[in-house]
Amino acid sequence: MISELEKYKTADTSKVKHWFKAAPVDRFPEDGGACIKYGDLQIAIFNFTRRNEWYACQNLCPHKMQMILSRGMIGSFEGEPKVACPFHKKTFSLKSGKNLNGDTCDIATYPIKIEDGHVFVGFEE
C-alpha cells in the first residue's frame, strides 16, 4: 500500500502530459495560497504577487502529515521563494521543494502556467 506522502512526486516541466485547469486567477489570494484537488492529491497554489510569480506544491506537510501548506506564509530566503508550514515553521523552496531548514523531508513541486485568466498545473500522469 502506498503512503499518503508517496503519492506526491515533483513534476518535470519537460515531461508534463496533462495541464490541469485549476481555477480562474482571481480565486487565489494575492501573496497567499489556496488548495485544489487533482484526483486524490491536494495541491497548494501560491499567487506570489510581490514577485509576480506563481507556484504549486503538495499541500501535505511531510512532518505533521496534515494538509496545511496552502495556509502557510510565503516569503523569500536568499532570493529563493519559500513557504513556511503554519504548524512548525519549517520552510520549503517553492521552486525545488527542498527543505530549507536542512531536514531530509522535501516536498513535491509542480509547474504552473497562466493562460486566458486561468491557472493550470502540470502533471506527468
Side-chain angles (χ1 to χ4, degrees):
M1 186 169 158
I2 191 166
S3 76
E4 189 69 23
L5 194 55
E6 291 174 314
K7 293 178 185 177
Y8 295 92
K9 304 279 187 221
T10 293
D12 181 338
T13 304
S14 67
K15 296 179 182 175
V16 167
K17 294 180 182 171
H18 177 68
W19 285 98
F20 176 72
K21 188 175 185 179
V25 294
D26 62 6
R27 295 288 178 100
F28 298 92
E30 291 187 6
D31 292 315
C35 180
I36 61 135
K37 291 259 312 172
Y38 176 75
D40 61 348
L41 302 178
Q42 287 192 30
I43 305 298
I45 297 177
F46 297 96
N47 178 3
F48 205 151
T49 54
R50 291 185 308 250
R51 295 174 63 106
N52 196 30
E53 297 171 342
W54 289 79
Y55 297 97
C57 67
Q58 71 188 50
N59 195 36
L60 180 67
C61 168
H63 295 99
K64 294 290 185 177
M65 297 303 289
Q66 294 194 2
M67 301 294 183
I68 193 68
L69 291 180
S70 64
R71 309 274 313 227
M73 293 187 62
I74 58 174
S76 297
F77 175 72
E78 297 178 355
E80 185 79 8
K82 67 176 185 166
V83 61
C85 176
F87 281 135
H88 53 60
K89 307 303 182 236
K90 299 272 186 200
T91 58
F92 303 93
S93 165
L94 288 170
K95 285 186 177 181
S96 68
K98 182 177 177 349
N99 185 324
L100 299 174
N101 300 105
D103 294 339
T104 57
C105 294
D106 295 336
I107 60 171
T109 59
Y110 303 89
I112 201 160
K113 67 180 180 178
I114 308 300
E115 285 185 355
D116 300 322
H118 284 82
V119 178
F120 291 82
V121 182
F123 295 94
E124 292 181 20
E125 317 178 341

